[in-house]
Amino acid sequence: MNTNTLLSSNFYTLDINGMTCASCVGRIEKNVLNIRGVEAISVNLATEQARIRLKHDSTNTIEEIIKVIYKTGYEAHLSLPLGKSSRHPTHFSWGMNGLTNVIISFILAIPLVTPMVLMPFEIHWSLSPYWQLALATPIQFILGWRFYISGLKSLIAGVGNMDLLIAIGTSSAYGLSLYQILTPSYDDYSFYFEGSSVIISMVLLGKWLEARAKRQTSEAIRSLHKLWPENAKVLDASVKNEALNLNEYRVLPLNQVLPHDRIIVLPGERIPVDGLILSGQSHVDESLLTGESEPVRKYVNQQVIGGSMNGEGSLIIQAQAIGIESVLSQIISLVEEAQTQKAPIQQLIDRVSAIFVPSVIAIAILTGLANWLYLDSVSLAILRAVSVLVIACPCALGLATPAAIMAGTGVAARFGILIKDPQVLEIAHRINVVAFDKTGTLTIGRPRLLDVIPLANQSGTMQDILAATSGLLLGSEHPLAKAILDFSNEKKILPIVALDNKALVGIGIEGKPISGPWAKEQLCLQSIASLKDDPQYKYIESQVTSALLAGHTVSILRTQTIGSSPIAGFVFGDEIKTNAKQAIDALHQLGIRTAMISGDNTFSANRVGKIIGIDEVFAQVMPGDKAEIIEKLKSSAVNNDRQWVAMIGDGINDAPALAKADVGMAMSTGTDVAIQSAEIILMRGDLSLVPNAIDISKRTWNKIRQNLFWAFIFNIGGIPLAALGYLSPMFAGSAMALSSFFVLSNALLLKRWRMRILN
C-alpha cells in the first residue's frame, strides 16, 4: 500500500500492468466505478497506477476490485510503501526482454523488407512465398502474441484497445497473404507479409522506446527514493549524553528506528531521519530536497532533514520524524500525487478515447468496403483498412498530458517547487497578478525588537513592561513574540506568568499577569492596525509616528479593563529578503502586476513596497479581509479581461487568501495551515522560486498543448491518408509507433529546464 493510503483505510493505490492507450484508462475507470462502494478512481497511463477511494461505509475489499480489473483484462496489485517498491513508478516490462524481442523481430523482418529497399535501384529480388511465410509466422504469433491476448481480453470486456487494432490489422495482412499462397495460381499475387511483420516490429520498438521514455519521466521520484539510506547508526539508550562515544552504536534497518533515538551521522553519510542536532556541527547538502544549491551550515539545536547529505562534521541527532512523517516522505507523496492526478483537459481526452477504438474499427470497415467497390480489389481494400486501423491507435493521445505533467512536476521538484495539484498548470500560465504577504514572505520573518516606547505615566518600569509582556507570550511561535522573548532573555528579565492566555486571531494575545504592577488585570498585546476604531488611536499613532515613518512594525500593549489605557509601543525591525526586488522585477518582465497585502501599518507596508517595486500596496488589512482583497484583484478587469491571481504567503492568516486565489503558493518555512491551503509549495523562503514556479508551469502547459496537437495530427490526420492509400500498413505502423515516442520525447525536453538565477 502506498504511504498515501495510510491517511485513510479506504484509500488505495494500485500498480496496473497491461495498459496500452487512453481507452484502457477509460475502461478500467468505468468498470471500477460500477462497483458498489467505490467513490472515486483516477487511472494514469504514464505512471501505470490507479488511485481508488471507497465510500466510508463500503464493505468491498481491495481484492474484489483487483479481480474486477483482472476481468477487464489487466493485472493489478497494491503499491508497496515508499522505499519498498519492487519496481519503479513506471515498471520496465519492456526492458531487456523487450529489447531482445525487438532485435529478433527486426532480424526476421529485414529479409522481407529488403526487396522494397532494392527496388529503387532496379534490383529485383525477393524471397519465395514459403520463406516469407516462415519468417513472418514467428513474428506474427510468437513475438506478436501479446497483442492477441490483450486484444481478446479487451474484446471480452466489451470494448477495444490499441492491441486489438494491431491484432486485427496485422492478422488481416497476414491472412490475405496466406490465402494467396494457398491459391493455386499464387504467382500472380503480391504478398504482404512484410507489412504485418514490420507493423509488429515497429510497435515492439515503439513500446520499448516508450518504456524507456516513461522511465525517464519518473526519474524525479526515483531520485528521491534513492535518498533513503538503508540503515542508521543508533546509540544505545542507556548511554548518557555526556558519555557519548562515536564508536558505541548499533546499525539498525531504517524501519526499526524510533522517535527519540539518538543517531550518529558520520561525514559523507546521508542523514536517515528528520531530527534535532544534539552534538556537532557540519554543512548539510539539502539540494535534492529544497533545491538550495549551497550546503547549509548546521549547529546544535537546529533541525536536519532525512535524506540530506552530511558534510565534513560528525553529528549526533535525535530522531523526530520517522517514515511517512518525515519531510522526504511527504515530498515524495506530494510529487506522486501530482503525477497520478489528472488535469481537467485529460478527463476530456479520456472521454474521447473511450469511443475512439470502436469508431476507428467502423471507419476501417467503411474504408475497406469503399475501396473494394471503387477499386474492385479485395487485397487493396484490406490493406487500406489495415492502414487505418494501425495509424489511428490512440496511444500517443493517452500519453500526451500525463507525460508532460510527470516531466514538469518532476523537474520542478528537483529545484524545490512542489506542484500539489496539476490543475494549476492549466491556470498558472494565465497568471497576470501576483499578491504577496509581507512578513515572512517579502521580509526574512525574523524581526528584532528595536525599541519600547512608554505611552503613558505608568507605575511600572521598563523591566516591568517587558516581564509582563513576556509572560503573555510564553510558548508563542509568532515571530514578533519570539523577538520580545529573545530581547527579554538577553536582558535577563524573568517573565511574569500570566493566566487565561488567549490568542486573538488576527489581533494579538491577551492574559492576566499573576504579579507586578498589572497583577490580575487583563492585558492585551495587539497590532496597531487592530486599534483603528479605538478612541485613543490618534494619540497612540502620534506617539509612535517616527517609528511608523521609518517603516517599522509597531505593536501596542494596553489594559483591557474599563477605561483601558495604552501602556507601551513595541517597535520591530524586519529585513527585506535580499532578492525580493529581483523577484518582483522578474515578474514584471513576465508582464505580471504585483501587489502586497499586509496587516502592518501603512507606513511600513508602503516603505517595503516602494523599495522592492510593488505595484499596489494594501496595508492594515485584517486577516479575514485578505481573501476579499484577492477577490477584488480577480475582478479588477483590464481590457475587459478577468485577472488571474496568485497569492504567496506563509502564515495562518494567509490561508483564506491562499485558498481564494486562482493559484496559492506557500513557503515551506510557513505554517501547516498555509501549506495545506496552497497548490504549490516553495521548499525554501527564496522569492526567486515564485517567477520560476510560474515559468515551469507555463512551459509544462505548452508541452501539454504541443503533445496534444501532434497526437491529434498523428491519429486524426493520418486516417484519410491511409484510407486513400497514401500510407502503406508498414509506414502506418512506423508512424503510430513513433508518435508515442515523439510525444514522450517532447515531454522529456522539460528535464532541461533550469531555474533563472536572479541577481
Side-chain angles (χ1 to χ4, degrees), residues 120-181:
F121 301 99
E122 297 186 357
I123 300 175
H124 301 284
W125 172 86
S126 65
L127 292 169
S128 72
Y130 293 102
W131 269 108
Q132 293 183 46
L133 177 64
L135 291 171
T137 299
I139 297 177
Q140 187 72 38
F141 297 109
I142 298 178
L143 300 176
W145 187 246
R146 67 178 298 274
F147 301 116
Y148 288 97
I149 297 297
S150 176
L152 180 61
K153 286 182 178 179
S154 73
L155 202 58
I156 293 173
V159 284
N161 64 0
M162 186 192 92
D163 289 344
L164 179 63
L165 299 182
I166 298 298
I168 293 174
T170 57
S171 297
S172 300
Y174 179 91
L176 176 61
S177 301
L178 181 61
Y179 170 78
Q180 291 175 340
I181 285 181

Side-chain angles (χ1 to χ4, degrees), residues 497-509:
V497 175
L499 302 176
D500 301 328
N501 283 24
K502 183 171 66 175
L504 306 174
V505 178
I507 297 175
I509 192 168

